[in-house]
């Protein structure tokens, strides 16, 4: 008997409905057609084992399973459940009248237990868009999918439970998530705070500027100076993530299978800190069955590249275009997939291979050429996109042991929010531009006009420090943000003077 079941395929950060037709014809064997990958082809073995272990009969006919549309690749083991249901129904072990009300997805274990799937959130969005009554999927994914309203999401643990549900057992209830309430609850809670960082007022100031203008920054300092500790706290002073942004970010984590079991939405700006051994595909996304990379998992949050010079140069080069476009395009023979990738980059590095170049107490043991070679590793395309260079020196033992109340993240964040509000208004007519870091040359001209004193100061500094032309625009952007933090419409000489300090890597003479 011919039956139809509906499943879902993830494509980029969206899903599309897959129709699975199952039919019995004379003969024996199993044929899956419609571009299944090897994991899908192997599903029959898992399904037959799950049948056996739960008292269902293996078909005595030849089974033909057709997955449509045929031009979309069906990948992974998440089609086990819809195929298993389809085969039971085609062999008349399960009534077929309710099947088409649902999108059904899940991977089967041999005993019939279900394992979670990737992309439950986009699947739910699509199911609701197309007017399905419900979505049946593993319980671990239920809360993630249930963020979508007006769709009955059934989180199930076992093949038998799915069959009971399809036979009309109404003791199985849909999962309900109050998205707005959960979002509001989780949003303002952080378990780290700038308050815990002693001293380092100037570094905190630099990070406040970075947060206020959306500027990329690099922290340069010796081992143990607190670079990692400081960078990790950046999300605590960024403007709170909006519900819209949260859904975008959650969708990417859902597709990548990175949401914890039973999680609903990501209510914080993400902080991603990939190890320097990461591959190109791991960082920007890709692979045979394309997956979002770290730059997309950091969407609407922070990407932290700790020990930047340790990353392979090619890895850093592939980030160039996505950073420009704030999204990444993965091109394949027939298709191309876009993943959003709008993030703030924070990098860290030692000033030289031994770590103690310019250190107040310790001696650097590196030859000048070694220092230069080390710096050259990070120069070029990526450094070009970093507005703030921040030198971090360790706080003294005395300062570390002393108790002095420091400003909390909440207080700093309030100033950041004010400065962002000015920018939102300033760029309201500009498509895709919402902070100072995103200013084009034309916008810099328009919004960073200098008075004679400031212009003079900048010119003199450029000459004295032998700053490059690229440093010029960066200084103007950063000084715009510094002025915004003071709600000053005009950029003043003091703003320029402070911005100039954040160009240490451009200065001629670093490394002798
Ligand atoms: N200003 C500070 N206030 C409080 N604790 C600090 C401070 N600076 C450093 N520490 C302590 O020192 C530890 C080391 O700091 P951290 O790992 O951030 O240094 P780092 O600059 O990233 O070093 P590395 O180059 O070795 O990675 C921190 O976990 C923290 O406990
Ligand atoms: Mg560190
Ligand atoms: Zn050194």
């Amino acid at each position: 008997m011919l039956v139809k079941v509906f499943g879902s395929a993830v494509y980029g950060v969206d899903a599309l409905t897959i129709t699975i037709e199952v039919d019995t014809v004379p003969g024996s064997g199993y044929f899956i057609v419609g571009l299944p990958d090897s994991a899908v082809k192997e599903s029959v073995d898992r399904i037959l084992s799950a049948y056996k272990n739960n008292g269902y009969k293996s078909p005595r006919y030849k089974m033909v399973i057709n997955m449509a549309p045929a031009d979309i690749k069906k990948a992974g083991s998440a089609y086990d459940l819809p195929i298993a249901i389809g085969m039971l129904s085609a062999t008349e072990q399960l009534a077929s009248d309710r099947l088409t009300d649902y999108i059904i997805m899940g991977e089967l274990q041999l005993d019939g237990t279900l394992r979670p799937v990737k992309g439950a959130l986009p699947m739910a969005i699509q199911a609701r868009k197309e007017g399905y009554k419900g979505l049946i999927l593993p319980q671990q994914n239920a809360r993630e999918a249930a963020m979508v309203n007006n769709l009955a999401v059934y989180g199930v643990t076992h093949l038998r439970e799915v069959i009971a549900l399809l036979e009309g057992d109404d003791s199985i209830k849909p999962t309900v998530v109050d998205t707005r309430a959960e979002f509001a609850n989780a949003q303002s809670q952080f378990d780290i705070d700038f308050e815990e960082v002693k001293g380092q007022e100037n570094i905190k100031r630099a990070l406040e500027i970075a947060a206020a203008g959306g500027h990329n920054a690099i922290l340069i300092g010796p081992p143990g100076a607190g670079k990692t500790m400081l960078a990790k706290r950046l999300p605590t002073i960024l403007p709170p993530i909006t519900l819209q942004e949260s859904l975008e970010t959650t969708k990417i984590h859902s597709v990548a299978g990175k949401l914890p079991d039973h999680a609903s939405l990501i209510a914080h700006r993400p902080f991603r800190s990939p190890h320097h051994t990461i591959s190109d595909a791991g960082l920007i996304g890709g692979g045979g069955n394309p997956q979002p990379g770290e730059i997309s998992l950091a969407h609407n949050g922070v990407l932290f590249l700790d020990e930047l010079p340790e990353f392979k140069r090619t890895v850093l080069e592939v980030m160039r275009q996505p950073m420009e476009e704030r999204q990444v395009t993965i091109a394949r023979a027939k298709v191309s997939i876009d993943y959003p990738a709008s993030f703030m980059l924070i990098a860290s590095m030692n000033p030289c291979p031994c770590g103690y170049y310019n250190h107040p107490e310790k001696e650097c043991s590196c030859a000048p050429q070694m220092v230069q070679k080390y710096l050259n590793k990070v120069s070029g395309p990526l450094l070009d996109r970093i507005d703030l260079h921040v030198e971090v020196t360790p706080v003294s033992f005395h300062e570390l042991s002393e108790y002095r109340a420091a400003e909390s993240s909440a207080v700093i964040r309030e100033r950041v929010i004010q400065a962002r509000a000015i920018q939102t208004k300033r760029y309201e007519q500009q498509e895709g531009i919402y902070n100072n870091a995103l200013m084009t040359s034309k916008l810099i001209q328009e919004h960073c006009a200098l008075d004679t004193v400031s212009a003079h100061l900048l010119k003199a500094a450029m000459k004295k420090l032998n700053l490059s032309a690229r440093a010029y625009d960066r200084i103007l952007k950063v000084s715009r943000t510094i002025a915004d933090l003071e709600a000053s419409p005009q950029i003043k000489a003091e703003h320029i003077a402070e911005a100039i300090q954040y160009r240490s890597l451009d200065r001629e003479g670093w490394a002798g």
Side-chain angles (χ1 to χ4, degrees), residues 224 226-229 304 306-307 348:
K227 302 183 293 295
T228 304
M229 185 185 193
F304 179 46
D306 205 0
E307 323 281 353
S348 90

Side-chain angles (χ1 to χ4, degrees), residues 297-317:
L297 294 169
H299 180 60
N300 291 321
V302 176
L303 180 71
F304 179 46
L305 299 183
D306 205 0
E307 323 281 353
L308 187 66
E310 303 294 324
F311 284 79
K312 277 191 306 215
R313 215 186 149 101
T314 55
V315 170
L316 300 182
E317 266 154 23

Side-chain angles (χ1 to χ4, degrees), residues 143-296:
R143 284 173 42 75
E144 168 189 346
M147 283 196 293
V148 175
N149 295 330
N150 302 324
L151 176 75
V153 173
Y154 293 94
V156 285
T157 55
H158 196 279
L159 176 64
R160 272 197 303 245
E161 202 181 346
V162 182
I163 290 161
L165 180 66
L166 291 170
E167 282 174 341
D169 179 346
D170 55 13
S171 69
I172 303 164
K173 301 280 181 241
T175 301
V176 179
V177 169
D178 184 340
T179 309
R180 277 172 199 283
E182 286 214 8
F183 177 71
N185 251 329
Q187 207 199 15
S188 53
Q189 298 158 7
F190 283 99
D191 45 17
I192 51 174
D193 199 288
F194 267 108
E195 211 165 52
E196 296 141 8
V197 183
K198 299 196 173 165
Q200 304 291 33
E201 303 308 334
N202 53 337
I203 318 298
K204 291 184 197 169
R205 163 76 178 169
L207 291 175
E208 176 176 337
I209 296 167
H215 302 287
N216 298 327
I218 183 163
L219 304 175
I220 311 145
K227 302 183 293 295
T228 304
M229 185 185 193
L230 285 152
K232 275 195 178 142
R233 284 162 177 74
L234 185 65
T236 68
I237 60 167
L238 285 171
I241 194 167
T242 63
L243 183 55
Q244 175 62 31
E245 288 173 320
S246 165
L247 286 170
E248 286 170 19
T249 303
T250 306
K251 234 164 121 179
I252 297 168
H253 285 245
S254 168
V255 167
K258 299 276 186 198
L259 282 180
D261 285 353
H262 309 292
S264 59
L265 82 181
I266 296 177
H268 290 133
R269 296 193 179 277
F271 180 87
R272 301 295 302 185
S273 174
H275 190 255
H276 58 72
T277 52
I278 194 166
S279 66
D280 291 13
L283 187 66
I284 69 157
N289 175 26
Q291 289 286 296
E294 287 291 333
I295 62 169
S296 294

Side-chain angles (χ1 to χ4, degrees), residues 34 60 83 183 221 238 258 274 293 326 332 376-377 389 420:
R60 282 177 295 131
I83 294 174
F183 177 71
L238 285 171
K258 299 276 186 198
R326 311 190 82 71
R332 285 290 176 271
N376 285 345
K377 279 175 135 179
H389 306 164
R420 287 271 183 144

Side-chain angles (χ1 to χ4, degrees), residues 8 47 77 84 110 120 135 178 326 329 347 356 368 391 412:
S8 197
I47 290 167
S77 34
L110 303 189
L135 172 63
D178 184 340
R326 311 190 82 71
T329 304
Y356 296 106
E391 284 175 80
I412 305 171

Side-chain angles (χ1 to χ4, degrees), residues 444-455:
I444 293 176
Q445 267 189 14
E446 191 179 333
H447 298 294
C448 304
L450 299 183
D451 55 32
T452 19
V453 185
S454 310

Side-chain angles (χ1 to χ4, degrees), residues 436-468:
N436 293 334
L438 296 170
M439 269 193 279
T440 57
S441 314
K442 188 168 161 280
L443 288 171
I444 293 176
Q445 267 189 14
E446 191 179 333
H447 298 294
C448 304
L450 299 183
D451 55 32
T452 19
V453 185
S454 310
H456 234 84
L457 176 72
L458 181 52
K459 203 171 159 200
M462 296 280 301
K463 206 165 164 204
K464 178 152 173 271
L465 304 169
N466 204 357
L467 293 177
S468 64

